[in-house]
Amino acid sequence: MLLMPDIMDNVHRYFATTVGLVTTKGKHGPNVMAAEWTMQVSYEPMLIAIFIHESPTYWNIEETKVFGVNIASDDQAELVNIAGGYSGTEIEKLAIPGTFATYKAKKIDVPMVKECALAAECKVTAIQKMGDHIMVVGEAISAKFDEKKFPLIYTRGNYRKISRSKISSGRKIVRVTPEQMSQFKKMSAGQFVFKAAVAVIKDGNKILLQKSGGQWVLPMVLVSKGADYKNTLNQHLHSIGVSASVGSIKGIARMVLKSGREELRANFIMFDSTVSLFKEDYDRAAWFAKPPKNMLLKSLL
Ligand SMILES: Cc1cc2nc3c(=O)[nH]c(=O)nc-3n(C[C@H](O)[C@H](O)[C@H](O)COP(=O)(O)O)c2cc1C
């Protein structure tokens, strides 16, 4: 698709960002600017990047090598308008009565804005020109947040509030027996989400099942983080006496397994597979024309 210049001009409108009130203090006075291009870019050390143009904010940072990041909360749209609508070359924004309430930063000499969702005091670690903006990266040497405040969102030229309702995880709730639950818990080895590769192997009207925790289930194996699903499943099938060729992904099933009060999140990636060699061994795996009734099996097939 060819992007026409007027479309290119509007691309930035289709991101959704929070807005940082970047505070500084230097030769260009105490100052605050709005910067939607503000984000955390590393956990350890905790680094925050801002992308700004040459203005009093940048000149202050260049001089002092420190800045404050105050993520505006959704009741601070007016402050963002002021911080973004005027330059420190024009007026002293922080001195307008009835607008910014500030406090002194703990570790650096800049004013911080009260009532923000997040406040971080940063020491510059890198400055680099990036296209028509300058990337300033700072290490957050002190940070605090307010659980009760939600960040203001900026998208399509408007300020918006984040809905307080969470998006449902979309996971199907599937009841399993206590034996299955303890088997899955054991297999999941403490992982937050049980991530398994599952083989769907059919021969005419028969399906191949494996015995697990005293129940017949589709052949499945936990896959450890970063490991290849197909290979892990192939090896597992071998270990239960099945020579198979694991084919393409048939689908994904995301569930919450429940037994009594116990819960386990589970993601099953199903693979269509074909068997080349298999001698039935009822302790490990067998063909079933009529699979035994169990909810997990029903949900996966
Ligand atoms: C919502 C909003 C977001 C903004 N984001 C940025 C940004 O990420 N980077 C930038 O250089 N300017 C951004 N601006 C523009 C600056 O805030 C504006 O140029 C401001 O006057 C700069 O302040 P200063 O001149 O006092 O340093 C934004 C403005 C608004 C209203």
Side-chain angles (χ1 to χ4, degrees), residues 19 31-37 51-53 55-57 80 83-88 93 133 154 159:
V19 183
N31 194 27
V32 58
M33 85 170 267
E36 59 161 326
W37 295 340
F51 298 83
I52 58 177
H53 59 281
S55 76
T57 297
V80 171
Y86 294 91
S87 173
K93 291 175 255 190
H133 277 63
Y154 186 53
Y159 303 123

Side-chain angles (χ1 to χ4, degrees), residues 37-82:
W37 295 340
T38 297
M39 71 200 75
Q40 182 177 348
V41 291
S42 159
Y43 292 120
E44 188 53 57
M46 191 200 282
L47 298 178
I48 296 176
I50 58 173
F51 298 83
I52 58 177
H53 59 281
E54 285 218 33
S55 76
T57 297
Y58 176 69
W59 299 323
N60 276 348
I61 294 176
E62 205 182 24
E63 175 199 336
T64 63
K65 304 286 187 287
V66 292
F67 61 96
V69 168
N70 308 268
I71 299 296
S73 62
D74 59 14
D75 44 16
Q76 293 180 313
E78 253 336 283
L79 300 186
V80 171
N81 274 328
I82 296 168

Side-chain angles (χ1 to χ4, degrees), residues 175-178 181 185 256-264:
R175 297 238 159 241
V176 295
T177 62
M181 178 57 89
K185 283 242 156 125
V256 178
L257 304 178
K258 273 198 166 189
S259 170
R261 280 160 131 208
E262 283 203 285
E263 275 190 13
L264 181 63

